[in-house]
Amino acid sequence: MEVRWLEAFVAVAEELHFGRAAARLHIAQSPLSQTIRKLEKDIGVPLFERNTRSVGLTAAGRSLLPHAYRALEELEVARQAAHASVGAVYGHLTIGFSGAINHRTLPVLTRVLRRRYPDISLSFQGRVVTGDAVAMLQQGTLDIAFVGLPLDPSPLASRLIAREALGAVVPVDHPLANHVRLDLGDLRDEDFITMPLGHGSDLERTVTAACVTAGFRPRVVQEIGDPFMILTLVAAGVGVSLVSEGMSDILPNGAAYVPLAEPQPYLHHGIAWSPSNPSKVLRVVLDVADEVLPTPASAD
């Protein structure tokens, strides 16, 4: 098996189109097709399902893809090692996060990493809800992800890094906006703005569970996958929402945060990774995360 075979495979797997993959690799389509056939012959199974109108990955192709990513990444690490100074930590890491909800945790980690380990290349994938993060970590397309805990049973490792109470966000002219605290039941007749229902968002799951515990199911009038846009729509008067208290310091004009009375529901923020990931860079990043994002003392 040759490196260029894997590069060709990844290009076709990502484009799902031989013409576009060939253009991306700056080769003709015919040599690309021959390269894929050589790889399939070497492995002994077809990697793509082809017809006149579409190209798709077979089950074997889907299984091979994360390993191909890893092999090409390790090759790049080896290239960097040849040029790195003795003792330097080098390599690449891909981080998944959900967006505004991670504004207190992601910057803390990345600032320290960039300062201490400038030879580590970081890539970021935003708007990754917990359910998607779990799948992407298992597939190898993410190395580490910010997630909501607890995770459903999975082979992933995880650690709690923050525990935040949920609070209500209402328009500033709402009758409840000036309350010191409010009971969650006070919102039973309100229109709610939430993350997409059933799409693997820990925020949506926690909000729904808290409302049900308070004796009602939220009347959702708008679903949106960006936590900051939820705040924006609240400010616009579309409805109300529940968010973690950490988001109270990034409210747009027109929205007000009101803490909830006891018993308060909590969001549990964590990081997750695959223990089978062989990346040495991941071990360094986890050590830094232990230092700058420690498990809170109240975790129990």
Side-chain angles (χ1 to χ4, degrees):
M1 185 182 300
E2 300 181 17
V3 171
R4 63 186 181 89
W5 295 1
L6 289 180
E7 293 173 336
F9 167 69
V10 167
V12 177
E14 291 181 344
E15 299 291 344
L16 293 180
H17 189 282
F18 276 82
R20 290 195 297 269
R24 170 172 151 182
L25 295 170
H26 305 292
I27 61 175
Q29 185 170 332
S30 177
L32 174 61
S33 297
Q34 293 173 14
T35 298
I36 295 299
R37 284 196 291 271
K38 289 178 182 178
L39 178 61
E40 290 176 323
K41 182 178 179 181
D42 184 77
I43 293 178
V45 293
L47 301 173
F48 295 99
E49 297 172 341
R50 311 166 176 85
N51 59 46
T52 56
R53 294 195 297 179
S54 66
V55 176
L57 283 165
T58 63
R62 288 192 296 272
S63 297
L64 175 63
L65 185 57
H67 299 286
Y69 281 134
R70 187 68 59 198
L72 294 175
E73 287 175 3
E74 289 299 320
L75 176 61
E76 181 59 28
V77 168
R79 287 172 177 156
Q80 293 176 12
H83 297 89
S85 58
V86 176
V89 178
Y90 45 83
H92 178 266
L93 192 90
T94 303
I95 301 174
F97 65 103
S98 62
I101 201 168
N102 299 126
H103 78 283
R104 286 185 171 180
T105 50
L106 176 63
V108 172
L109 177 62
T110 56
R111 281 199 304 269
V112 174
L113 287 173
R114 290 190 182 282
R115 184 174 68 249
R116 293 186 187 174
Y117 302 105
D119 293 318
I120 292 179
S121 171
L122 299 176
S123 297
F124 303 93
Q125 187 152 344
R127 298 187 182 182
V128 179
V129 298
T130 296
D132 292 340
V134 168
M136 295 170 75
L137 288 167
Q138 291 176 319
Q139 293 165 1
T141 52
L142 289 179
D143 294 298
I144 191 170
F146 290 84
V147 297
L149 298 178
L151 298 178
D152 291 332
S154 80
L156 299 178
S158 62
R159 182 174 64 79
L160 180 70
I161 59 172
R163 181 175 180 266
E164 291 187 306
L166 279 184
V169 180
V170 300
V172 291
D173 56 356
H174 192 284
L176 298 173
N178 294 321
H179 284 217
V180 176
R181 290 187 178 273
L182 58 83
D183 291 323
L184 186 50
D186 294 338
L187 300 176
R188 68 175 63 249
D189 296 322
E190 300 290 336
D191 294 334
F192 272 74
I193 306 165
T194 71
M195 297 286 284
L197 301 177
H199 282 211
S201 164
D202 185 64
L203 176 60
E204 181 273 321
R205 180 182 64 185
T206 305
V207 167
T208 300
C211 291
V212 169
T213 299
F216 70 99
R217 185 166 289 275
R219 185 174 65 227
V220 177
V221 298
Q222 180 70 53
E223 299 177 20
I224 190 162
D226 184 334
F228 188 76
M229 285 305 301
I230 290 177
L231 302 179
T232 301
L233 291 183
V234 171
V238 176
V240 305
S241 192
L242 299 181
V243 300
S244 61
E245 61 184 345
M247 295 183 68
S248 63
D249 55 11
I250 59 170
L251 293 181
N253 292 332
Y257 179 85
V258 185
L260 297 178
E262 296 291 345
Q264 287 181 311
Y266 284 86
L267 273 178
H268 295 85
H269 304 298
I271 54 173
W273 64 95
S274 172
S276 62
N277 187 333
S279 170
K280 295 180 180 178
V281 172
L282 175 60
R283 306 303 143 191
V284 171
V285 172
L286 290 174
D287 287 343
V288 172
D290 284 343
E291 176 187 342
V292 301
L293 297 173
T295 299
S298 59
D300 55 350

